[in-house]
């Protein structure tokens, strides 16, 4: 953490020198945003960089956001939440599932059979029902919480057309609830951050993964897997929740008018944009898998999907039982999350 702070101090000092000709009242507030994806990934190019530009324009240059991809400032992807919480950086983008236990309420939106496959519908539902999960964010300022289109099942060798075909396989999980689902499949969950997945697949450390198609082009997953499985109407097997968080003290130290600009820049329209972007990002990955030699995408029959959904419902009930011990009404969260998602599904 000390090395990261030294790097950021150097960045901020450099920015201060550039703006030294401005009087004190005109100096911009410089915010450092840190994330794990590469500078070529859609997260960086289509969401975070455009947002940084948007904030600068909305604030007329009073806010400048410096975006650092690929863990450039140091640390591990699993440490990003702590970096924002502790003020090591100002803003982070990461997956909620990388810090198990920190966002227990938020997990409801990633559960299988709760999320159906539309990142747009689920992301809107999260925004509409944020009061249900707001207690997860007492230590930070939540800026944007949304999901990707959902996890498909991808395997390196074995073709999967039923639950029976998954038994004994090692599958990468994006989160602990994803791990529970893999266990219900009769397979073995293996937790790892996304950047380490290609090597794990190439070395046969895992037999497959629960991931969306969106990551295929950047990580070349189409060259490492032969079979992909989705449900009827492109339904999926749970999803992952993305979070963009800001250090609470940093946000509170900003003038009220600039706080409002930050919040307005991430309003419902931005949530809809993020949700639609991640729907659109699926298409290139799907095309890559279809075009890859000896690869295929299988759509499960309604009967087979029913078996997978039974496994998913067991995960939902396990989650309800677990969060009840923490004083959280999981049944209410599941009910309201489902209602909101269904209401926004076209």
């Amino acid at each position: 953490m000390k090395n990261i702070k030294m790097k950021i101090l150097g960045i901020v000092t450099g920015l201060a020198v550039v703006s030294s000709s401005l009087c004190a009242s005109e100096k911009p507030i410089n915010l450092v945003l840190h994330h794990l994806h590469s500078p070529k990934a859609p997260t960086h190019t289509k969401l975070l960089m455009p947002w940084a530009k948007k904030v600068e324009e909305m604030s007329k240059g009073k806010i400048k956001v410096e975006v650092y991809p690929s863990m450039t400032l140091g640390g591990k992807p699993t440490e990003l939440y702590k970096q924002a919480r502790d003020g090591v950086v100002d803003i982070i983008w990461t997956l909620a599932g990388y810090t198990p236990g920190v966002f227990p309420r938020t997990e409801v939106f990633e559960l299988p059979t709760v999320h159906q496959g539309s990142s747009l519908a689920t992301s809107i539902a999260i925004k509409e029902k944020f009061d249900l999960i707001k207690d997860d964010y007492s230590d930070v300022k939540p800026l944007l919480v949304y999901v990707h289109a959902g996890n498909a099942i991808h395997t390196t060798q074995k073709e999967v057309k039923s639950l029976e075909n998954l038994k004994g396989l090692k599958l990468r999980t994006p989160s602990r609830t994803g791990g529970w689902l893999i266990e219900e499949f009769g397979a073995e969950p293996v937790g790892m951050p996304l950047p380490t997945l290609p090597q794990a697949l190439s070395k046969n450390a895992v037999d497959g993964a629960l991931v969306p198609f969106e990551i295929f082009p950047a990580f070349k997953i189409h060259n490492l897997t032969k079979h992909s499985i989705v449900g009827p109407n492109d339904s999926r097997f749970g999803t992952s929740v993305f979070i963009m968080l800001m250090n609470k003290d940093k946000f509170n130290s900003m003038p009220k008018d600039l706080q409002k600009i930050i919040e307005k820049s991430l309003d419902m329209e931005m949530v809809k944009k993020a949700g639609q972007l991640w729907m659109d990002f699926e298409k290139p990955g799907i095309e890559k898998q279809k075009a890859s030699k000896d690869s295929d995408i299988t759509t499960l029959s309604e009967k087979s999907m029913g078996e997978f959904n039974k496994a998913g419902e067991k995960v939902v009930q396990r989650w309800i039982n677990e969060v009840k011990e923490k004083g959280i009404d999981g049944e209410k969260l599941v009910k309201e999350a489902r209602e909101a998602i269904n209401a926004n599904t076209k």
Side-chain angles (χ1 to χ4, degrees), residues 1-169:
M1 288 293 185
K2 183 177 180 181
N3 290 336
I4 299 172
K5 287 183 178 179
M6 291 298 292
K7 285 184 181 180
I8 295 170
L9 180 61
I11 292 164
V12 173
T13 301
L15 291 170
V17 170
V18 171
S19 60
S20 61
S21 61
L22 300 174
C23 68
S25 62
E26 294 176 326
K27 284 185 179 180
I29 292 176
N30 298 304
L31 301 177
V32 173
L33 192 164
H34 198 201
H35 71 89
L36 62 110
H37 281 184
S38 82
K40 294 182 179 180
T43 301
H44 184 82
T45 61
K46 301 295 185 181
L47 180 72
L48 299 179
M49 290 302 294
W51 176 74
K53 182 179 179 182
K54 177 182 178 180
V55 169
E56 183 173 348
E57 291 174 350
M58 288 177 66
S59 68
K60 297 180 180 179
K62 293 180 180 178
I63 303 173
K64 292 186 180 294
V65 182
E66 297 290 322
V67 184
Y68 293 87
S70 303
M71 301 304 298
T72 310
L73 300 176
K76 301 174 182 178
T78 52
E79 297 170 343
L80 281 166
Y81 162 70
K82 291 182 180 179
Q83 288 184 9
R85 183 196 66 188
D86 299 342
V88 177
V89 298
D90 301 311
I91 303 171
I92 60 91
W93 179 98
T94 188
L95 282 78
Y98 281 4
T99 47
V102 176
F103 306 101
R105 299 164 184 83
T106 303
E107 285 179 333
V108 69
F109 288 103
E110 71 182 27
L111 293 172
T113 74
V114 174
H115 172 79
Q116 297 296 316
S118 169
S119 56
L120 179 59
T122 300
S123 297
I124 293 172
I126 292 173
K127 182 70 171 179
E128 290 179 343
K129 296 290 185 177
F130 195 77
D131 279 353
L132 292 174
I133 63 174
K134 66 180 181 180
D135 288 347
D136 285 355
Y137 302 90
S138 59
D139 293 333
V140 290
K141 170 66 178 177
L143 299 182
L144 183 63
V145 182
Y146 68 103
V147 300
H148 62 52
N151 299 313
I153 301 170
H154 311 280
T155 53
T156 55
Q157 298 293 331
K158 192 165 186 179
E159 186 174 8
V160 176
K161 292 188 176 180
S162 68
L163 267 185
E164 187 65 28
N165 300 141
L166 286 173
K167 292 191 183 301
L169 297 186

